[in-house]
């Protein structure tokens, strides 16, 4: 899961495709889905930080609220289970 988080700092597509491929062959579906979910949440948080650093102001607050809502929803899905 740590590798999924580190990979998502730059791009979420690569880890998503890799884990989807691995889920078809040798990795459990729950492990692959959890790694993709972690990667998506980390990548969303990184984008929110970039907006704060580059834009600030009203746009940063809006993006942070939306990104926060997405991360909370994804965390809720993970806690409840698939």
């Amino acid at each position: 899961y740590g590798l999924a988080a580190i990979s998502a700092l730059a791009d979420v597509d690569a880890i998503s495709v890799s884990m989807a491929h691995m889920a078809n062959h040798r990795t459990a579906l729950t492990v692959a889905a959890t790694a993709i979910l972690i990667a998506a949440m980390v990548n969303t948080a990184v984008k929110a930080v970039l907006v704060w650093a580059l834009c600030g102001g009203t746009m940063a607050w809006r993006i942070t609220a939306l990104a926060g809502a997405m991360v909370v929803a994804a965390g809720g899905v993970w806690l409840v289970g698939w």
Side-chain angles (χ1 to χ4, degrees), residues 1 4-5 8 12-21 23 29-43 74 82:
Y1 298 134
V12 74
D13 297 334
I15 192 72
S16 297
V17 171
S18 177
M19 293 309 295
H21 179 70
L29 183 60
T30 55
V31 171
T34 302
I36 292 170
L37 185 63
I38 289 169
M41 291 190 317
V42 168
N43 190 261
W82 304 98

Side-chain angles (χ1 to χ4, degrees), residues 8-63:
L9 293 174
D11 184 28
V12 74
D13 297 334
I15 192 72
S16 297
V17 171
S18 177
M19 293 309 295
H21 179 70
M22 289 175 66
N24 284 333
H25 295 285
R26 61 182 180 266
T27 302
L29 183 60
T30 55
V31 171
T34 302
I36 292 170
L37 185 63
I38 289 169
M41 291 190 317
V42 168
N43 190 261
T44 300
V46 166
K47 289 178 183 178
V49 169
L50 286 173
V51 170
W52 272 98
L54 298 174
C55 300
T58 305
M59 182 176 198
W61 284 109
R62 289 179 184 165
I63 295 299

